[in-house]
Amino acid sequence: MVDVRGHRLRVDQPTDAGGADTAPTPIELFAASLATCVAFYAGRCLLRHGMPCDGLGVRAEFVMATDRPARVTAVRMVIVPPPQLPEERRAGLLAVASHCTVHNTLQRSPDIGIALAP
């Protein structure tokens, strides 16, 4: 379990990795975090231009490394725009969604510290 601002998220591993497969893995949540950030920015762009968000979706795919250290080597986001999105708005939607906060963070890796509590 992970607590975030009073919200509780369940996190698990597949059974073949020692988990009970009751919830997404941390890597799946990582990809979902990026996908939902992209979707938020895309939705905000649509609303700013007076367009409905019905039908907007984002699919996330990732590839794990086959060597060590364990890591994600590729992430692909596919934005499914609303069916009524005019052709001339597609490039702008992609540009805005491509600059979401999570994507920007991954493009410019933050310093990460890991420590043991006393």
Side-chain angles (χ1 to χ4, degrees):
M1 292 285 187
V2 177
D3 292 319
V4 179
R5 285 189 315 102
H7 304 282
R8 180 158 279 192
L9 304 174
R10 180 180 291 276
V11 183
D12 201 353
Q13 292 289 335
T15 54
D16 62 353
D21 202 16
T22 62
T25 68
I27 300 303
E28 290 166 339
L29 290 176
F30 163 75
S33 177
L34 178 57
T36 56
C37 192
V38 167
F40 173 77
Y41 272 63
R44 193 167 65 178
C45 174
L46 291 169
L47 292 174
R48 185 171 49 243
H49 292 286
M51 295 186 296
C53 295
D54 295 344
L56 174 65
V58 177
R59 290 192 309 264
E61 303 167 355
F62 61 89
V63 177
M64 296 298 296
T66 57
D67 61 347
R68 295 286 176 205
R71 66 198 181 283
V72 174
T73 58
V75 180
R76 177 177 160 86
M77 296 288 122
V78 177
I79 301 169
V80 179
Q84 65 274 31
L85 182 70
E87 186 63 36
E88 63 271 12
R89 293 278 189 193
R90 292 176 64 89
L93 178 66
L94 180 59
V96 168
S98 295
H99 291 287
C100 79
T101 304
V102 175
H103 183 253
N104 288 343
T105 301
L106 293 171
Q107 292 292 95
R108 295 186 178 198
S109 301
D111 291 330
I112 298 173
I114 299 175
L116 291 174

